[in-house]
């Protein structure tokens, strides 16, 4: 049982380049999330999808877009990467948007030079 | 704006010690508070505390929620080196389903 799978694990981009982070879960969860984690800080919500077909902004959505492709998959796109987007990105899922623990992927370490 | 503050930021103890980690919060229309453990990679869920469940225990770990004073504590007794991790606290509000607010975490180091 894989849980939440993120790809890639590592990525280096130049300023202005674009990329998509992929996330898939096999737990039949309804809700999915993208967080970023910067050194010494907790997790900040970028975007989330309470259920298939819906997406909503979190705390730090600027510079990102998301797509809930189907119930299993939720991708995060950086259209024009900036050094401020250097971070570790975590995808997570939960059974429901409330009162349900988050299950996290292993993260993507992104460096923008 | 919802706010979660964890203390201390870091803590170094020796095996066998007991530790208490703190999480205070300000949230409008509180729903739940969750604790996670983060070792090298992904955070993993420890406890969820709500109005109907203000005390949880699992082995050497326990947690309580004080809704009146707006804080939670995570206790770890007889610490082991495997307890070394970052411990994250998050709160959910009824009005913002899906938008958990996390604290900055407490880094616990347990020395042999």
């Amino acid at each position: 049982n894989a849980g939440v799978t993120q790809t890639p694990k590592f990525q280096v981009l130049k300023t202005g380049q674009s990329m998509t982070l992929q996330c898939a879960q096999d737990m039949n969860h309804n809700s999915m999330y993208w967080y970023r984690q910067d050194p010494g800080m907790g997790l900040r919500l970028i975007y989330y999808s309470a259920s298939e077909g819906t997406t909503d902004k979190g705390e730090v959505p600027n510079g990102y877009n998301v797509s809930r492709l189907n119930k299993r998959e939720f991708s995060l796109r950086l259209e024009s990467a900036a050094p401020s987007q250097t971070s570790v990105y975590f995808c997570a899922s939960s059974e429901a948007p409330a009162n349900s623990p988050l299950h996290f992927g292993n993260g993507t370490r992104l460096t923008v030079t | 704006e919802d706010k979660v503050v964890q203390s201390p930021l870091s803590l170094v103890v020796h095996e066998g010690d007991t530790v208490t980690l703190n999480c205070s919060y300000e949230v409008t229309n509180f729903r739940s508070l969750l604790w996670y453990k983060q070792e090298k990679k992904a955070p993993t869920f420890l406890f969820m505390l709500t109005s109907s469940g203000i005390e949880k225990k699992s082995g050497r770990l326990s947690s309580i929620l004080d809704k009146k004073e707006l804080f939670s504590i995570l206790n770890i007794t007889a610490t082991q080196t495997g307890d070394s991790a970052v411990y994250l606290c998050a709160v959910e509000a009824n009005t913002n389903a899906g938008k958990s607010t996390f604290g900055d975490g407490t880094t616990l180091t347990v020395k042999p």
Side-chain angles (χ1 to χ4, degrees):
Chain A
N1 197 347
V4 179
T5 303
Q6 290 182 235
T7 56
K9 290 185 172 60
F10 302 95
Q11 183 71 49
V12 179
L13 293 178
K14 294 187 190 307
T15 297
Q17 287 185 317
S18 62
M19 78 161 295
T20 299
L21 281 65
Q22 307 286 354
C23 175
Q25 53 92 8
D26 63 2
M27 295 173 283
N28 201 35
H29 284 171
N30 290 301
S31 305
M32 298 186 74
Y33 312 80
W34 278 105
Y35 285 89
R36 60 177 287 174
Q37 186 174 38
D38 299 302
M41 297 180 70
L43 295 154
R44 290 185 292 170
L45 183 65
I46 305 171
Y47 270 94
Y48 71 102
S49 171
S51 60
E52 187 179 355
T54 69
T55 61
D56 205 350
K57 294 178 181 179
E59 183 185 353
V60 288
N62 291 346
Y64 305 95
N65 284 302
V66 290
S67 294
R68 183 75 182 266
L69 305 168
N70 48 55
K71 191 171 185 179
R72 289 187 66 246
E73 298 172 287
F74 189 38
S75 62
L76 178 72
R77 182 158 178 85
L78 287 71
E79 290 291 351
S80 178
S84 61
Q85 294 178 306
T86 293
S87 189
V88 179
Y89 291 84
F90 287 99
C91 177
S93 69
S94 64
E95 286 187 30
N99 282 351
S100 292
L102 299 171
H103 296 257
F104 288 89
N106 282 330
T108 295
R109 186 173 294 276
L110 174 66
T111 301
V112 183
T113 60
Chain B
E1 183 179 319
D2 299 340
K3 189 175 177 184
V4 178
V5 178
Q6 293 186 244
S7 64
L9 288 180
S10 64
L11 190 56
V12 180
V13 301
H14 287 93
E15 275 192 314
D17 288 348
T18 293
V19 298
T20 299
L21 310 182
N22 303 291
C23 175
S24 63
Y25 61 90
E26 296 174 22
V27 61
T28 302
N29 206 0
F30 172 87
R31 181 199 298 270
S32 59
L33 184 147
L34 296 95
W35 285 97
Y36 294 87
K37 177 183 182 182
Q38 184 176 24
E39 295 175 87
K40 299 240 183 264
K41 294 183 179 177
T44 54
F45 169 71
L46 293 174
F47 298 119
M48 182 168 68
L49 301 151
T50 66
S51 299
S52 59
I54 61 171
E55 188 167 350
K56 294 288 175 76
K57 183 174 171 62
S58 176
R60 296 178 295 104
L61 277 66
S62 63
S63 182
I64 62 169
L65 173 69
D66 188 324
K67 278 195 66 181
K68 182 179 177 184
E69 300 298 331
L70 307 184
F71 76 89
S72 174
I73 61 171
L74 177 68
N75 274 322
I76 309 175
T77 59
T79 51
Q80 302 170 356
T81 55
D83 294 327
S84 295
V86 176
Y87 290 84
L88 296 165
C89 172
V91 295
E92 292 183 339
N94 280 316
T95 48
N96 283 318
K99 292 186 177 181
S100 296
T101 299
F102 280 81
D104 288 344
T106 293
T107 300
L108 174 65
T109 303
V110 182
K111 293 189 171 182

